[in-house]
Structures are given as C-alpha cells and as structure tokens.
Amino acid sequence: MSGAIALKVPDPAILSRRAQIVADLADFLPAGTVISSDRELKPFETDGFIAYRRMPLAVALPRSTEEVAAILKYCAKYKVPVVPRGAGTSLSGGAIPQEDAVVIALTRMNRILEVDYSNRCARVQAGVTNLAISEAVSADGFFYAPDPSSQLACTIGGNIAMNSGGAHCLKYGVTTNNLLGVKMVLFDGTVIELGGKALDASGYDLLGLVCGSEGQLGIVTEATVRLIAKPEGQRPVLFGFETSEGASACVTDVIAAGLIPVAIEFMDKPAIEICEAFAHAGYPLDVEALLIVEVEGSEAEMDAMLKAIIEIARRHGVKTVKECQSATEAALIWKGRKSAFGATGRIADYICMDGTVPLSQLTNVLRGTAEIVARHGLRVANVFHAGDGNMHPLILYNINDPDEARRAEEAGNDILKLCVDAGGCLTGEHGVGIEKRDLMPHQFSKPDLDQQMAVRAAFDPDWIMNPSKVFPLEGRS
C-alpha cells in the first residue's frame, strides 16, 4: 500500500531488550507458548487488512485467563505494548502488530465451557469460533445469532472487540445485543468480570463499553453469550432489480412499512457476477442489483411477510422473484453471499469499506460511491447488509501498483467521509483499527475525541494496549 497510515514508532529501549523479554516470557509460560523466530512470527505480521504489515517482537499463545494475566502483568511492569489477536480476520487492521509489541493470540483458548438452556446462554473461551457455538447447540434447537461472513474462522473475542454483526443482525442485533457477560484481564493483569447470566447488571454499563473497544480496555478471555431458539422455518428469496436505485428504495420502504425480515442483503451487478461464478448459487445475471431477503416463522407467517415484501418490490421495478425450494438451494444462496469477499479476491486485490448510513440515504450514497471510485479510475463491487444500512463497497485495485494502491486508499477515505456526511458513521462492524483511525476527526469533534481517550486512559494509563489503533496518533494525552 502507499504507507500513508502510520504506526507508532517502536521504542528503541524495548527493541534492545527483545532477547530478554522473550526469555522472561518463556520462563513463566509453559513450553511451546512463546514464538520468537522470524519464520514463526511471519503469519502474525498482518491480518485481513493485508496492505499493511509489521513483524511483532514476540507472540504468546496462552491457554488460560491466568496465563493472559501473567503476560499483561509483565508487559505493564516494563511498558511493553500488547496487541490482542483472535483469528486475524480483522478488515480494519485491528490486529496488526508493531515491532516492539507482544501479540497475545487467544486461539488456543477454544473451549465451550458451559451451555445453560435454562438461562438460554453459553459460556465460552475467547478463542471459540463464532460458528462453533451454533454448531454446539444446533441439535437442541438453538443458535447464536450474530453471523459475520468470516464466522467459520473468526473468534468470539475478536467479535466482541469489533462488535461484529452479520447478515442476521437486522432482526437479532450485533454482538453487543447478544452478549451477557465477559471475563476480562486489565492492562496490569487484574481479572474482572462484567455482567453474567442475568439479562441486566447493576451499575454502569461497562459491558457495553467493552464491546467494540478493539482490545484497548483489556483482553476478554471468556464470554457469556445469548442463545436463541431456532425458528420453525426459514426461507431466503432472491429479488432482482433493473437498477440499484430500485433495490435500495425497496429496502427503505420495506423497513418503513414495519416489516423486519431476518436479513436483507444487497449485491450490485459486479458482485452478483463474482459470487455466482464462485458459488453457482443460481443468482440472476440479467439484473443490475439483487436483494437476498430471508424471512422466518411458520409457513403462514413467512407467506404473509413475503406477500407484503413482493408488493413493495413490484412498486420499485422488481424483475425477478425467486423463492428457494429446498435446504440445499437455501444453503447455496447464503454460500454465495458469505463467500463474497473471498470470491472477489480471486479476481483482484480489494479494500473492503464499512460505513453505515441511514436507510433513506442508501440510494444517494450508492450513487456517490460509484462517482468517487470512477473519479479515482478504479472499479467497485457493492455487497452489504442493506437492512441496517451497513455498506461494504469492495474497491478493486492492484496491490503491486503503488499508484493504484494510493488511489484505492483515497477512494475508501472519500467513501467513508460520504457516509458520515450522509448522517452515518465510519464503521458498522469492522471497527476502526488503523484503517479509519485518521478519519475519526471527520466524525468526532476534539472534545468528543478527548473524552473517549480519557475513558480509554482510565483503563490503560500507559497506552500499552493495542496502542496504534482507533485514535489519531496526534493529540493523544
């Protein structure tokens, strides 16, 4: 990439003590849990935001809350920066390390500790994958609602850090709406517990503060998450439109009518073609825009809701309505959508943006996105969670061409500014990371940012936790 996004300058004093730090970690951690050779560190130098990379000082692979606490206590004593990491699927650079930082990777903490159907919750370690929770309770008729496209790989700890969403967040909400409690280690090794199995906790909503804090307030090692009973039935339906404007206007009117499907996903023509070539999901190729609308409930409930949605779609020039006829067909429809990012990577490098806008602004922001990308001489494929206005334009470019990389980054910044100016925000589910860090002043005033940084500093006064992320490097206290 252009190298325009800066990370903090490594501390020479810490770098000079690298061998001693590695030896100290290996001394109090079990054998095989500290990685320090260049070859072994290589997989940890970046995350899903692959345009930027840094080799960490070392990587620790703890297996328990106690081991995480020991690492943080040591790092706090010597002011060694720490970068928490789950599966490394972050698309905003949230887990990219720096040369003087120890990465604490929680992938070995991958056990489901308790399933409690009486309280409809599960207690899991932070390294459990998102999908593993639903798989563990599926046979008993339950599931965990948030479903990021990377749910096969991404972990609950990372989901909590970024407040991840997914296709079904329209009806069931994002991570914060499905999180009941956490066990968390503070920067100095102190272990605290927030929330629990009860539906609400007394005192300040610290749990709400932690969810979405991007690993800057502490490291979550365990989570208690809400389980939801499976619906009687589910049915995804494909709606093909002559124009993107027609599709986005349909979304706005569906929600305005008080209809809340489980999901409303949007794809424009480039995205349709990319996903269909990969998944062979049966997407119509003769339309300019596609909506995947999923409804659930009894047959009568699904029929009634679909009837109302189809009537709205017809007012906006719907060309194709295709209801799935089997579980296999439904799985293919979602395979195409959830494979969108990977399928796009087959044809080009890309940056995936994550702005959120009011539904009434979908049409305007889609039009503005196309104009911005064209102005920078690039291409874009749009695939996103239309029901809650969480846009994911994929800006296509050649990562080996410095000029294209620069233009792609500039186009992405312009799109995010457009989302904010339309009344939206910089991120819906990917987090700020390093990608959007320097755009924070476009959304927040200086007093706003100062207050947020004061809260952060109350948890981590030395700023050792994921220090290059979220807040602009200039102006930090």
Side-chain angles (χ1 to χ4, degrees), residues 110-122:
N110 58 4
R111 291 186 297 130
I112 295 177
L113 302 172
E114 179 187 10
V115 174
D116 182 351
Y117 291 127
S118 296
N119 289 299
R120 294 201 170 189
C121 65

Side-chain angles (χ1 to χ4, degrees), residues 15 26 35 37 56 58 78 149 156 179 265 269 278 282 313 357 433:
L15 293 177
I35 293 174
S37 72
Y78 296 104
S149 294
I156 287 298
L179 182 66
E265 297 292 295
K269 191 172 186 62
F278 175 79
V357 301

Side-chain angles (χ1 to χ4, degrees), residues 364-374 380 382 391 393 415 418-419:
N364 293 334
V365 174
L366 274 171
R367 186 182 302 115
T369 295
E371 293 170 354
I372 288 169
V373 174
V380 66
N382 286 286
M391 306 190 72
I415 290 170
L418 173 65
C419 290

Side-chain angles (χ1 to χ4, degrees), residues 72-124:
L72 285 176
K73 183 177 181 180
Y74 173 87
C75 290
K77 179 179 179 180
Y78 296 104
K79 294 183 169 52
V80 178
V82 168
V83 176
R85 182 183 177 99
T89 59
S90 170
L91 292 169
S92 64
I96 292 176
Q98 54 196 55
E99 294 89 339
D100 60 353
V102 172
V103 170
I104 300 181
L106 303 180
T107 46
R108 291 186 179 179
M109 297 180 63
N110 58 4
R111 291 186 297 130
I112 295 177
L113 302 172
E114 179 187 10
V115 174
D116 182 351
Y117 291 127
S118 296
N119 289 299
R120 294 201 170 189
C121 65
R123 186 167 59 90
V124 303

Side-chain angles (χ1 to χ4, degrees), residues 230-235 262 295-299 302:
K230 287 182 180 180
E232 183 178 336
Q234 295 171 299
R235 192 188 307 168
V262 186
V295 296
E296 67 178 20
S298 67
E299 290 296 323
M302 291 189 289

Side-chain angles (χ1 to χ4, degrees), residues 18 35-45 55-57 59:
R18 179 176 184 270
I35 293 174
S36 59
S37 72
D38 288 348
R39 181 178 63 83
E40 292 177 310
L41 292 176
K42 190 73 174 174
F44 297 91
E45 68 176 352
M55 193 74 83
L57 184 146
V59 173

